[in-house]
Amino acid sequence: MNYSKSEKFFEEAKKYIPGGVNSPVRAFKSVGGTPLFIESGKGSRIYDVDGNEYIEYIGSWGPHLFGHNPEFIINALTANLKKGTSFGAPTELEIKMAKIITELVPSVEKIRMVNSGTEATMSAVRVARGFTNRNKFIKFEGCYHGHADYFLIKAGSGALTFGVPTSPGVTAANAADTLVADYNDIDSVKSLLQENKNEIAAIIIEPIAGNMGVVPATKEFLLELRTLCNEENIVLIFDEVMSGFRVAKGGAQEVYGVQPDLTTFGKIIGGGLPVGAFGGRKDIMDTLAPVGPVYQAGTLSGNPLAMSAGLAALTHIKENENLYDILEEKSKYLEEGLKENLKKLNKSFVMNRVGSMSCLFFTEENVADFNSAMKSNTELYGKYFHKMLDKGIYLAPSQFEAMFISTAHTTEDLDKTIKANYDALKEII
Ligand code: HOZ
């Protein structure tokens, strides 16, 4: 394929933007080569500035549950665009948005809109601290909760991709109240609780980790976390920025049957526009200003355009009874095809999948936590990524990101992907 225009754009971009990108993983640094500059997207396809077409599995890192640019989102945006882009004052759309989220996710009694997952998680921890009058919180190694200072400690996603899970610029003081436990290891949580009796405000977890590849928590682990939080009056926060409305209408908490006290959202709830949210128990949420003393605010929070796109997405989810069955069917089809390829090639690389979120790890050992994810051969993943790209399949440019399937992926798309996967693997192993 010819990538010359992308290469030219990248050189130009690097002059004005650090690394030429506005978010590090996009730079292709961990897989090598030049990032593609995208011109447009429709359904399961994206088109780069050189005119190349790809079947793609990033879906803007999660939001595009229905593929790129579905008509119903364009219509909602167009209708609202004419009314005004931002008021910094309440609109009816915000009520509709809050209402639909509380209907779909029963643990959410009240919700506040923000502009990104990062804002959602940082606000959720602040409100948990304000509610409990405690400072410390527990996160898990390899989980990524956005880039607020105190979360960038043993974090996943881009930080992990570049081997700097704990970022310079995070001061010791910032990190002091962040305690890190091991994913799926309840004993590591119990030890921290014992060492920090009555000091822990919150435990925050991605119930389906999507930032060290896809690594689901076990149900037992989440149930035990729930019990410990009840016993110690700790706020349990599920970071469902990725899994929310992705794996089920009610997110991972519906799949597992475990209710958190607070949930953070992003990605799908914006229908492709920048939206995040955090919500949960009424008594906790009501410690937020202007009802309570915990301050949190934002000029663009609840922005009418973002709300209209998000509301269109959530309404579509609410009204489509068999949506998640369709996604499961497509995702299973792809998983079985890829596993069949591995069998034919005598390789037993691990494929983790929950609904339409999945990850092919280049390791033959079970991946259940950070350390096992780290056993992946990232160099081989880089080779695989480029082989797939050359065959017209656009995957995440990092071993430690998820692969997302949308309702727009057709059987033909999936078959092409399975064939490309076989050919790519054959060429590199
Ligand atoms: N690491 C981010 C997703 N988990 C990447 C976001 C982006 O580059 O847009």
Side-chain angles (χ1 to χ4, degrees), residues 170-219:
V170 175
T171 64
N174 264 320
D177 290 326
T178 306
L179 308 174
V180 183
D182 296 327
Y183 200 74
N184 275 329
D185 177 357
I186 203 68
D187 290 337
S188 69
V189 179
K190 285 181 182 164
S191 317
L192 289 175
L193 292 182
Q194 252 163 24
E195 289 157 19
N196 299 275
K197 199 85 189 141
N198 295 327
E199 288 186 279
I200 295 173
I203 296 181
I204 185 166
I205 185 166
E206 292 177 84
I208 299 165
N211 290 289
M212 49 176 157
V214 173
V215 183
T218 65
K219 180 166 179 160

Coordinates of all heavy atoms in Angstrom, one line a residue, residues 170-219:
V170 N 4.6 12.8 37.8 CA 3.7 12.5 39.0 C 4.6 12.6 40.2 O 5.6 11.8 40.4 CB 3.1 11.1 38.8 CG1 2.3 10.7 40.0 CG2 2.3 11.0 37.5
T171 N 4.3 13.5 41.1 CA 5.1 13.7 42.3 C 4.9 12.6 43.3 O 3.8 11.9 43.3 CB 4.8 15.1 42.9 OG1 3.5 15.0 43.4 CG2 5.0 16.2 42.0
A172 N 5.9 12.5 44.2 CA 5.7 11.4 45.2 C 4.5 11.8 46.1 O 3.7 10.9 46.5 CB 7.0 11.5 46.1
A173 N 4.2 13.1 46.3 CA 3.0 13.4 47.1 C 1.8 13.0 46.4 O 0.8 12.5 47.0 CB 3.0 15.0 47.3
N174 N 1.8 13.2 45.0 CA 0.6 12.8 44.3 C 0.3 11.3 44.3 O -0.8 10.8 44.3 CB 0.8 13.1 42.8 CG 0.1 14.5 42.5 OD1 -1.0 14.7 43.0 ND2 0.8 15.3 41.7
A175 N 1.5 10.5 44.4 CA 1.3 9.1 44.3 C 1.1 8.5 45.7 O 0.7 7.3 45.8 CB 2.6 8.5 43.7
A176 N 1.3 9.3 46.8 CA 1.3 8.7 48.1 C 0.0 8.1 48.5 O 0.0 7.1 49.3 CB 1.7 9.8 49.1
D177 N -1.1 8.6 48.0 CA -2.4 8.0 48.4 C -2.9 6.9 47.5 O -4.1 6.5 47.6 CB -3.4 9.1 48.6 CG -3.1 10.0 49.8 OD1 -2.6 9.4 50.8 OD2 -3.3 11.2 49.8
T178 N -2.1 6.6 46.5 CA -2.5 5.6 45.5 C -1.9 4.2 45.9 O -0.7 4.1 46.0 CB -2.1 5.9 44.1 OG1 -2.5 7.2 43.8 CG2 -2.6 4.9 43.1
L179 N -2.7 3.3 46.3 CA -2.2 1.9 46.6 C -2.5 1.0 45.5 O -3.6 1.1 44.9 CB -2.9 1.4 47.9 CG -2.9 2.4 49.1 CD1 -3.7 1.9 50.2 CD2 -1.5 2.7 49.6
V180 N -1.6 0.2 45.1 CA -1.7 -0.7 43.9 C -1.8 -2.1 44.3 O -0.9 -2.7 45.0 CB -0.6 -0.5 42.9 CG1 -0.8 -1.3 41.7 CG2 -0.5 1.0 42.6
A181 N -2.9 -2.8 43.9 CA -3.1 -4.2 44.2 C -3.0 -5.0 42.9 O -2.9 -4.4 41.8 CB -4.4 -4.5 44.9
D182 N -2.9 -6.3 43.0 CA -2.9 -7.1 41.8 C -4.3 -7.5 41.3 O -5.1 -8.0 42.1 CB -2.0 -8.4 42.1 CG -0.6 -8.0 42.4 OD1 -0.1 -7.0 41.9 OD2 0.0 -8.7 43.2
Y183 N -4.4 -7.4 40.0 CA -5.7 -7.7 39.4 C -6.1 -9.2 39.7 O -5.2 -10.1 39.5 CB -5.7 -7.4 37.9 CG -7.0 -7.3 37.2 CD1 -7.7 -6.1 37.4 CD2 -7.5 -8.2 36.4 CE1 -8.9 -5.9 36.8 CE2 -8.7 -8.0 35.7 CZ -9.4 -6.9 35.9 OH -10.6 -6.7 35.3
N184 N -7.3 -9.5 40.0 CA -7.8 -10.9 40.2 C -7.1 -11.5 41.4 O -7.1 -12.8 41.5 CB -7.6 -11.7 39.0 CG -8.8 -11.6 38.0 OD1 -9.9 -11.3 38.4 ND2 -8.5 -11.7 36.7
D185 N -6.5 -10.8 42.3 CA -5.8 -11.3 43.5 C -6.4 -10.7 44.8 O -5.9 -9.6 45.2 CB -4.3 -11.1 43.3 CG -3.5 -11.6 44.5 OD1 -4.1 -12.1 45.5 OD2 -2.3 -11.5 44.5
I186 N -7.3 -11.3 45.4 CA -8.0 -10.7 46.5 C -7.1 -10.6 47.7 O -7.2 -9.7 48.5 CB -9.3 -11.5 46.9 CG1 -10.3 -10.6 47.6 CG2 -9.1 -12.8 47.6 CD1 -10.9 -9.4 46.8
D187 N -6.1 -11.5 47.8 CA -5.2 -11.4 49.0 C -4.4 -10.1 49.0 O -4.1 -9.5 50.0 CB -4.3 -12.6 49.1 CG -5.0 -13.8 49.4 OD1 -6.1 -13.7 50.1 OD2 -4.6 -14.9 49.1
S188 N -4.0 -9.7 47.7 CA -3.3 -8.4 47.6 C -4.1 -7.2 48.1 O -3.6 -6.3 48.7 CB -2.7 -8.2 46.2 OG -3.8 -7.9 45.3
V189 N -5.4 -7.3 47.9 CA -6.3 -6.3 48.4 C -6.5 -6.3 49.9 O -6.4 -5.3 50.6 CB -7.7 -6.4 47.7 CG1 -8.7 -5.3 48.2 CG2 -7.6 -6.4 46.2
K190 N -6.6 -7.5 50.4 CA -6.8 -7.7 51.9 C -5.6 -7.1 52.6 O -5.7 -6.5 53.6 CB -7.0 -9.2 52.2 CG -8.5 -9.6 51.9 CD -8.7 -11.1 52.2 CE -10.1 -11.5 51.9 NZ -10.2 -13.0 51.8
S191 N -4.4 -7.4 52.1 CA -3.2 -6.9 52.8 C -3.2 -5.4 52.8 O -2.9 -4.8 53.9 CB -1.9 -7.3 52.1 OG -1.9 -8.6 51.7
L192 N -3.5 -4.8 51.7 CA -3.6 -3.3 51.7 C -4.6 -2.8 52.7 O -4.4 -1.8 53.4 CB -3.8 -2.8 50.3 CG -2.7 -2.9 49.3 CD1 -3.2 -2.5 47.9 CD2 -1.5 -2.1 49.7
L193 N -5.7 -3.5 52.8 CA -6.8 -3.0 53.7 C -6.3 -3.1 55.1 O -6.6 -2.2 56.0 CB -8.1 -3.8 53.5 CG -8.8 -3.6 52.2 CD1 -10.1 -4.5 52.1 CD2 -9.2 -2.2 51.9
Q194 N -5.6 -4.2 55.4 CA -5.1 -4.4 56.8 C -4.1 -3.3 57.2 O -4.1 -2.7 58.2 CB -4.4 -5.7 56.9 CG -5.3 -6.7 57.7 CD -4.8 -8.1 57.5 OE1 -3.7 -8.4 57.1 NE2 -5.7 -9.1 57.7
E195 N -3.2 -3.0 56.2 CA -2.1 -2.0 56.5 C -2.7 -0.6 56.5 O -2.0 0.3 57.0 CB -1.1 -2.1 55.3 CG -0.2 -3.3 55.4 CD 0.4 -3.6 54.0 OE1 0.5 -2.7 53.1 OE2 0.8 -4.8 53.8
N196 N -3.8 -0.4 56.0 CA -4.4 1.0 55.9 C -5.8 1.1 56.5 O -6.7 1.6 55.8 CB -4.3 1.5 54.4 CG -3.0 1.5 53.9 OD1 -2.2 2.4 54.0 ND2 -2.6 0.4 53.2
K197 N -6.0 0.5 57.6 CA -7.3 0.4 58.3 C -7.9 1.8 58.4 O -7.3 2.8 58.8 CB -7.1 -0.2 59.6 CG -8.3 -0.8 60.3 CD -8.6 -2.2 59.8 CE -10.0 -2.7 60.3 NZ -10.6 -3.5 59.3
N198 N -9.2 1.9 57.9 CA -10.0 3.1 58.0 C -9.4 4.3 57.2 O -9.7 5.4 57.5 CB -10.3 3.5 59.4 CG -11.1 2.5 60.1 OD1 -12.0 1.8 59.5 ND2 -10.9 2.3 61.4
E199 N -8.5 4.0 56.3 CA -7.9 5.1 55.5 C -8.3 5.1 54.1 O -7.9 6.0 53.3 CB -6.4 5.0 55.7 CG -5.8 5.3 57.0 CD -4.3 5.4 57.0 OE1 -3.7 4.3 57.0 OE2 -3.7 6.4 56.8
I200 N -8.9 4.0 53.7 CA -9.2 3.9 52.2 C -10.6 4.4 51.8 O -11.6 3.9 52.3 CB -9.0 2.4 51.8 CG1 -7.5 2.1 52.0 CG2 -9.3 2.2 50.3 CD1 -7.0 0.7 51.8
A201 N -10.6 5.3 50.9 CA -11.9 5.9 50.5 C -12.6 5.0 49.4 O -13.8 4.9 49.4 CB -11.6 7.3 49.9
A202 N -11.7 4.5 48.5 CA -12.3 3.8 47.3 C -11.4 2.7 46.8 O -10.2 2.7 47.0 CB -12.6 4.9 46.2
I203 N -12.1 1.8 46.2 CA -11.4 0.8 45.3 C -11.9 1.0 43.9 O -13.1 1.0 43.7 CB -11.6 -0.6 45.8 CG1 -11.1 -0.9 47.2 CG2 -11.0 -1.6 44.8 CD1 -11.3 -2.3 47.7
I204 N -11.0 1.3 43.0 CA -11.4 1.5 41.6 C -10.9 0.4 40.7 O -9.7 0.1 40.8 CB -11.0 2.9 41.1 CG1 -11.6 3.2 39.7 CG2 -9.5 3.2 41.1 CD1 -11.6 4.6 39.2
I205 N -11.7 -0.1 39.9 CA -11.3 -1.2 39.0 C -12.0 -1.2 37.7 O -13.2 -0.8 37.6 CB -11.6 -2.6 39.7 CG1 -11.1 -3.8 38.9 CG2 -13.1 -2.8 40.0 CD1 -11.0 -5.1 39.6
E206 N -11.3 -1.6 36.6 CA -12.0 -1.9 35.4 C -12.5 -3.3 35.5 O -11.7 -4.3 35.5 CB -11.0 -1.9 34.2 CG -10.4 -0.5 33.8 CD -9.4 -0.7 32.7 OE1 -9.9 -0.7 31.5 OE2 -8.2 -0.8 33.0
P207 N -13.8 -3.6 35.6 CA -14.3 -5.0 35.8 C -13.9 -5.9 34.6 O -13.7 -7.1 34.8 CB -15.8 -4.8 36.0 CG -16.1 -3.5 35.5 CD -14.9 -2.6 35.6
I208 N -13.8 -5.2 33.5 CA -13.1 -5.9 32.3 C -12.0 -5.0 31.9 O -12.2 -3.9 31.3 CB -14.1 -6.1 31.2 CG1 -15.3 -6.9 31.6 CG2 -13.5 -6.7 30.0 CD1 -16.5 -6.9 30.7
A209 N -10.8 -5.4 32.3 CA -9.7 -4.5 32.0 C -9.5 -4.5 30.5 O -9.5 -5.5 29.8 CB -8.4 -5.0 32.7
G210 N -9.4 -3.3 30.0 CA -9.3 -3.1 28.5 C -8.0 -2.4 28.1 O -7.9 -1.9 27.0
N211 N -7.1 -2.2 29.1 CA -5.9 -1.4 28.8 C -4.6 -2.1 29.1 O -3.6 -1.5 29.2 CB -6.0 -0.1 29.7 CG -7.1 0.8 29.1 OD1 -7.0 1.4 28.1 ND2 -8.2 1.0 29.9
M212 N -4.7 -3.4 29.3 CA -3.5 -4.2 29.3 C -3.8 -5.4 28.3 O -3.6 -6.5 28.6 CB -3.1 -4.7 30.7 CG -4.2 -5.3 31.5 SD -3.6 -5.9 33.1 CE -5.1 -5.9 34.1
G213 N -4.5 -5.0 27.2 CA -5.2 -6.0 26.4 C -6.5 -6.2 27.1 O -6.8 -5.4 28.0
V214 N -7.3 -7.2 26.7 CA -8.6 -7.4 27.4 C -8.4 -8.5 28.5 O -8.0 -9.6 28.1 CB -9.7 -7.8 26.4 CG1 -10.9 -8.2 27.1 CG2 -9.9 -6.6 25.4
V215 N -8.6 -8.2 29.7 CA -8.4 -9.1 30.8 C -9.6 -9.0 31.7 O -9.8 -8.0 32.5 CB -7.1 -8.8 31.6 CG1 -6.9 -9.9 32.7 CG2 -5.9 -8.8 30.7
P216 N -10.5 -10.0 31.7 CA -11.7 -9.9 32.5 C -11.4 -10.3 34.0 O -10.6 -11.2 34.2 CB -12.7 -10.9 31.9 CG -11.9 -11.7 30.9 CD -10.6 -11.1 30.7
A217 N -12.1 -9.6 34.9 CA -12.0 -10.0 36.3 C -12.8 -11.3 36.4 O -13.7 -11.5 35.6 CB -12.5 -8.9 37.2
T218 N -12.5 -12.0 37.5 CA -13.4 -13.2 37.7 C -14.6 -12.7 38.5 O -14.5 -11.7 39.3 CB -12.7 -14.3 38.5 OG1 -12.4 -13.8 39.8 CG2 -11.5 -14.8 37.8
K219 N -15.7 -13.4 38.4 CA -16.9 -13.0 39.2 C -16.6 -13.0 40.7 O -17.0 -12.1 41.5 CB -18.1 -13.9 38.8 CG -19.3 -13.5 39.6 CD -20.6 -14.2 39.0 CE -21.8 -13.7 39.9 NZ -23.0 -13.9 39.2

